[in-house]
Amino acid sequence: MNIIPEAEAKIRIAKRIARKFSESSKKIIINLGVGIPTMVADYIEGGNVCVQAENGMLGVGPVAPEGMADRQLINAGRQPVTETRGCCYFDSSISFGMIRGGHIDATVIGAFEVSKTGDIANWVIPNGKQLGVGGAMDLVSGAKEVIVAMTHTTKDGKPKLVKNCSLPVTGIGEADMVVTELAVFCFEDGEMVLKEIAPEASLDLIRSLTEAEFKVDANLKTMEV
Amino acid sequence: MEASKNMIGNGKIRSVDEAILLIKDGSRIMVGGFGLAGNPDCLIDALTKSSVRDLTIISNDLGAPNTGLGKLLTNGQVKSLIGNYYNWNPEVAKAYNEGVIDVKLLPQGTFVEAIRAAGVGIPAFYTPASVGTELSKNKEIRSFNGRDYVLEEAVHADVALIKAYKADALGNLIYYKTARNFNPVMAMAADLVIAEVDEIVAPGDLDPECIITPHLFVDVIVKGGK
């Protein structure tokens, strides 16, 4: 059983990450994965955030309204999107040059599991039905900051923050921040540190739902929801 | 493939059917597109109606079941795939599990860089993507400045089927929005490059400052249906 209904949890996670970007005092370039990460764009405020899509666009605008979709103008989740003023297009090699070359300030990705040392598993559940990796391995190794957006537990209530990933990994020690509906963690010197806790959660509850060991920040805050 | 090039003769403009006749059984074929954006739809359609088989398809994805490139698999024309993301077409995993086709999966950035490398005369390169994962198994790992990188080899093709917005009669190409994706890179990495375009104009009618693919990369131009 989950403490917060899934739909509400996803919005809360997206809003928390959006706030981090909205608070940026300088121009930042971000890349958003599919799922909760895409929702982050809906809550970003201020004019300092520019979204890159790995299929070849910088300055991605909101999802195209009904009837305005152009099937040749899509984001990496294949959603029809719109242009922003000053947007530009480029081929996939330039796009991944931006990503691998360290020109993207932050990427937000979903995940199945994150380990206590920041390993991320997000590309495949080995059930024989999936055969695809996407750009996640390039993104986690190349973006300056890797932010994982995921619910705290699986639908069955199993922890997703684990000692060691049991699923095939996307990258080793690449996570910088994990935002769930119950907590915010950052990785500092290879260790997971609890930074914020949701108003309805206690430290005991977080410990019971988190398999990975973590430190508690001396300045632990209540997550703004 | 030099023989095929000689068959083209003067001028690059051909019909879709003439262009597809240049493709042989067992060819390695690159196909542009990401999802349903920037696919050379008319060339793909003609290829699925041809009897060409044992193909290696090098593409980001394989469309959807029995749709776009997916039709090649449904028809049994595919021998192997090199690409990035087949979750949009579950028939790929099924055929792979049954041993019907071989699939080589690469991270998206590695996939496109391998194609670019082939196009610019670089046989292999090191990338940080996939280090420590299943996809770097049995590949050389080397450390530079304290960080590990995996050695990846260039990916070249016999034929590239690409989609552009406009061509001039020389073969200079411009693209449309996110339909550009892999197309300009694939245009550099195959022996025979066939470009499907919406419109063909006279040389000089495209702004030289805006041309993305210079004409020397393009061998055949076909006009697609809009």
Side-chain angles (χ1 to χ4, degrees), chain A residues 164-184:
Chain A
N164 298 295
C165 291
S166 62
L167 295 166
V169 295
T170 308
I172 303 291
E174 299 286 10
D176 295 300
M177 185 180 190
V178 178
V179 178
T180 79
E181 74 279 25
L182 298 178
V184 176

Side-chain angles (χ1 to χ4, degrees), chain B residues 112-184:
Chain B
V112 70
E113 189 62 14
I115 295 167
R116 197 190 77 85
V120 300
I122 307 280
F125 59 95
Y126 288 98
T127 174
S130 92
V131 167
T133 77
E134 272 181 21
L135 297 191
S136 64
K137 262 186 199 156
N138 303 320
K139 289 179 178 173
E140 183 191 320
I141 305 290
R142 188 167 157 186
S143 182
F144 295 92
N145 305 316
R147 188 175 186 194
D148 284 347
Y149 296 81
V150 55
L151 183 68
E152 297 279 2
E153 289 185 27
V155 172
H156 186 267
D158 299 315
V159 184
L161 305 181
I162 66 161
K163 176 68 179 36
Y165 171 41
K166 279 186 193 181
D168 68 19
L170 291 172
N172 288 309
L173 303 178
I174 62 167
Y175 297 85
Y176 179 83
K177 303 190 191 282
T178 53
R180 187 183 305 190
N181 56 63
F182 297 90
N183 289 296

